Amino acid sequence: MNGGELLKGFGIRWQQLTPVQKTLSILVGAGMLISIVFLVQTMGRPAYAPLFTQMDPREAGAVVEKLKSMKVPYRLTDQGRTIEVPDKQVYDVRIQLASSGALGSTGAGFELFDQKKLGMTDFEQQVGYQRALQEELRRTIVQLEGVEQARVHLVIPQKSVFIENQASPSASIAFKLKPLSKLKPEQVQGIVDLVAGSVEGLKPENIHIIDMQGNILNDASGGGDSRALALSVTNQQEVKRAYEKELEKKVQQVLEKILGPGKAVAMVTADLDFSQQQVTTITPLTDPVVLSEHTVTERGSGAGSNGGSADTQSKITTYPASDGESNGGYARDEFTKNYQVGSKQETVVQAPGTLRRLSTAVVVDGDLSGEQVQKIEEMVATALGGDSNRGDQIFVSSMAFDTSYQEKLRQEMEQADVAARQVEKEKQRLKLLQYGAVGFGLLLLAVIVVVVRLRSARGVEEPVGRQVIPIRELEREVAVTGEQLAGNVRQEEARELARQKPEDVAQILKVWLTEERGG
């Protein structure tokens, strides 16, 4: 069977179809065509993956131009700040761009001096050194966590032979932080130290750091004692707030277990003493200790003696000589013993952060009786470890909470959740429709192929002289046959009615005969 016979047979079958069948055939064919096109596009479309994100427009333009020259397909998203390429080429393209220099920053560092220029003046050399140093500092700073972009401006005055005429260098740094990022005071101080150590003669107080909103980030970074004092005060406030939050958490947990979530609010204020004290205590011992002992004994001969007095510490006896004649002998005894009372010295260094007083406020939603308020006060005091001698205060009050904002927020969250679920359902339904259309098209295609094959096989088995009967003639024959069958059924019903009710049937026949005679 050649192509002409196939087209002729298709035309005959098309003419034999009813208008409804022709419409259905056209719709099925269009659906199959759309399904095939969709499958081809889906299977042939490559999957894209981000090559670079959060790019500067200037850098993005350079990368796009390089991708065009490399003939790499790309796609821009996030208002041109994100560049996507086929996921299988991401790493290769990224390496090629890095090796070609397309990812280089807008400025140049010390590579400015890679090419030596003849005839460069001192001023040009100074400006080139300043530019290179600014770029090197910028490259280092942008590597820090939380920093997206940075600009460094240095003012390096020329050196003077006179010390009194020498100006001090200064630096200004502008940061663009990443979303939801914030630099800690320690990080800002680290940047200040980095820049001060990179520029000769630059003092930390001459470094100014701001963000893109104009906020000064190193206002607490002065010089010397003032900077240390500012950091110390900041640390003390952080310690104080952390201690208060821990106590509030304890009270909140106890109240939520009793009253339920969201039924009470507790606030704690702690008065901490951050002064450092050193106490030295000297305690004398009761038993004396012999420190040293000294004894001297002398003897002599002679008449007469005159004894002297002696005490417990020493004993001395002397013999004075007579007028004009010496007796020639004396005796001398000396005994010395020194005592020392012992002592115990104890030095105690008190760490800063001693608790002086606690003040706690608790607000409960609803109405409470006096007994309930007293029980809550006792419970909170026990949980906090309160001490009345220390001057701790606990105040408990009850009032109705205003939950309108929470209710509105809850409704908005529910609406957003419903909208998100609806969008997700729409996406799933769209995917199901697409998959269903594809499956239906494939099923119809399979059915048509099977029907065509079966009809082709039947056409081969039919006798040569057999004629094809049009579908309209078959429908007409079927209609006639149906009328004949309906008439036969009515005759059988009339016979059955005549057998069951002969009088009624006879009356009906009389009426019919009377009408025919009258007509």
Side-chain angles (χ1 to χ4, degrees), residues 90-134:
V90 170
Y91 301 106
D92 295 338
V93 172
R94 192 174 293 170
I95 293 174
Q96 293 179 14
L97 291 175
S99 61
S100 64
L103 300 182
S105 59
T106 56
F110 283 111
E111 58 267 18
L112 285 173
F113 298 97
D114 292 343
Q115 298 178 358
K116 297 182 179 179
K117 296 181 180 179
L118 298 176
M120 181 180 294
T121 62
D122 294 340
F123 177 75
E124 292 177 347
Q125 188 174 6
Q126 178 69 19
V127 172
Y129 172 75
Q130 182 173 335
R131 288 178 54 196
L133 187 57
Q134 290 177 169

Side-chain angles (χ1 to χ4, degrees), residues 44-288:
R45 182 186 305 168
Y48 282 81
L51 180 65
F52 300 107
T53 59
Q54 300 295 327
M55 296 191 67
D56 185 78
R58 184 181 302 177
E59 297 178 355
V63 172
V64 168
E65 291 296 330
K66 189 64 178 178
L67 292 176
K68 289 181 180 179
S69 62
M70 295 169 58
K71 296 182 180 180
V72 176
Y74 66 91
R75 187 171 62 185
L76 298 177
T77 58
D78 191 17
Q79 299 179 356
R81 296 169 60 86
T82 301
I83 301 177
E84 295 181 352
V85 296
D87 56 352
K88 295 182 179 179
Q89 304 180 14
V90 170
Y91 301 106
D92 295 338
V93 172
R94 192 174 293 170
I95 293 174
Q96 293 179 14
L97 291 175
S99 61
S100 64
L103 300 182
S105 59
T106 56
F110 283 111
E111 58 267 18
L112 285 173
F113 298 97
D114 292 343
Q115 298 178 358
K116 297 182 179 179
K117 296 181 180 179
L118 298 176
M120 181 180 294
T121 62
D122 294 340
F123 177 75
E124 292 177 347
Q125 188 174 6
Q126 178 69 19
V127 172
Y129 172 75
Q130 182 173 335
R131 288 178 54 196
L133 187 57
Q134 290 177 169
E135 179 60 23
E136 292 295 334
L137 288 174
R138 189 198 69 83
R139 293 177 182 178
T140 304
I141 292 173
V142 296
Q143 300 299 322
L144 299 177
E145 183 180 359
V147 179
E148 182 177 344
Q149 295 181 10
R151 292 293 302 272
V152 180
H153 303 277
L154 299 178
V155 178
I156 303 177
Q158 294 183 354
K159 294 183 178 180
S160 176
V161 295
F162 303 101
I163 298 177
E164 61 272 9
N165 295 335
Q166 182 66 40
S168 300
S170 62
S172 299
I173 306 173
F175 283 141
K176 183 180 181 182
L177 303 179
K178 295 179 181 179
L180 303 178
S181 296
K182 185 179 180 181
L183 293 180
K184 299 180 180 179
E186 297 82 2
Q187 294 175 312
V188 176
Q189 184 59 39
I191 296 172
V192 171
D193 294 339
L194 171 67
V195 178
S198 302
V199 181
E200 182 181 0
L202 180 59
K203 299 179 180 180
E205 57 265 22
N206 293 332
I207 300 175
H208 310 281
I209 302 177
I210 63 172
D211 58 10
M212 290 294 102
Q213 286 75 31
N215 300 319
I216 300 176
L217 302 181
N218 64 329
D219 54 352
S221 300
D225 297 336
S226 61
R227 181 181 64 186
L229 180 60
L231 292 177
S232 176
V233 172
T234 302
N235 293 333
Q236 291 177 6
Q237 294 295 330
E238 291 179 354
V239 171
K240 178 177 179 294
R241 189 54 191 151
Y243 180 70
E244 292 173 349
K245 285 185 177 180
E246 183 66 24
L247 295 180
E248 291 173 359
K249 183 178 179 182
K250 290 182 178 180
V251 177
Q252 200 72 31
Q253 289 178 351
V254 174
L255 294 177
E256 287 183 355
K257 292 292 184 181
I258 299 174
L259 304 176
K263 294 297 183 180
V265 177
M267 295 295 294
V268 178
T269 301
D271 184 8
L272 301 179
D273 184 10
F274 289 98
S275 60
Q276 186 174 0
Q277 299 178 1
Q278 180 175 347
V279 180
T280 302
T281 304
I282 300 177
T283 304
L285 300 177
T286 56
D287 298 333

Side-chain angles (χ1 to χ4, degrees), residues 290-496:
V290 177
L291 181 63
S292 62
E293 185 175 354
H294 178 67
T295 303
V296 176
T297 303
E298 293 182 1
R299 292 287 183 270
S301 60
S305 62
N306 185 14
S309 61
D311 54 13
T312 59
Q313 298 296 328
S314 63
K315 183 177 181 181
I316 300 175
T317 305
T318 59
Y319 298 91
S322 60
D323 296 338
E325 184 179 353
S326 174
N327 295 326
Y330 72 97
R332 177 173 177 259
D333 295 333
E334 182 177 350
F335 175 78
T336 303
K337 182 179 288 187
N338 296 325
Y339 295 92
Q340 182 179 7
V341 179
S343 63
K344 178 181 179 182
Q345 182 175 352
E346 183 178 4
T347 302
V348 178
V349 178
Q350 184 177 357
T354 305
L355 179 62
R356 292 177 179 173
R357 185 174 59 256
L358 278 178
S359 299
T360 307
V362 178
V363 182
V364 181
D365 185 14
D367 296 330
L368 297 179
S369 61
E371 183 180 358
Q372 291 176 333
V373 171
Q374 184 178 0
K375 288 183 178 180
I376 293 177
E377 289 181 355
E378 295 175 355
M379 178 179 56
V380 173
T382 304
L384 295 178
D387 187 0
S388 58
N389 298 326
R390 193 172 53 195
D392 295 351
Q393 298 178 353
I394 299 175
F395 180 75
V396 179
S397 62
S398 61
M399 60 184 65
F401 286 2
D402 183 9
T403 60
S404 59
Y405 177 75
Q406 288 81 358
E407 186 67 22
K408 181 179 178 182
L409 184 62
R410 184 184 63 80
Q411 293 178 359
E412 291 179 356
M413 292 179 63
E414 290 180 354
Q415 292 176 0
D417 190 14
V418 171
R421 289 199 299 266
Q422 188 67 24
V423 171
E424 188 66 24
K425 288 181 180 179
E426 291 293 336
K427 291 181 179 179
Q428 293 180 358
R429 184 166 59 182
L430 181 60
K431 288 183 180 180
L432 291 176
L433 289 176
Q434 292 176 352
Y435 294 152
V438 173
F440 182 69
L442 294 176
L443 180 61
L444 287 178
L445 181 61
V447 171
I448 291 174
V449 170
V450 172
V451 170
V452 170
R453 288 184 178 180
L454 290 176
R455 290 187 176 181
S456 300
R458 290 179 181 177
V460 172
E461 294 177 359
E462 288 178 355
V464 180
R466 185 174 180 180
Q467 298 180 354
V468 178
I469 302 175
I471 295 178
R472 294 182 179 178
E473 295 182 1
L474 290 175
E475 292 178 352
R476 189 180 301 110
E477 292 178 359
V478 170
V480 172
T481 305
E483 292 178 357
Q484 292 177 356
L485 291 174
N488 295 332
V489 171
R490 287 195 295 269
Q491 291 179 3
E492 291 293 334
E493 292 178 354
R495 292 195 185 98
E496 183 66 24

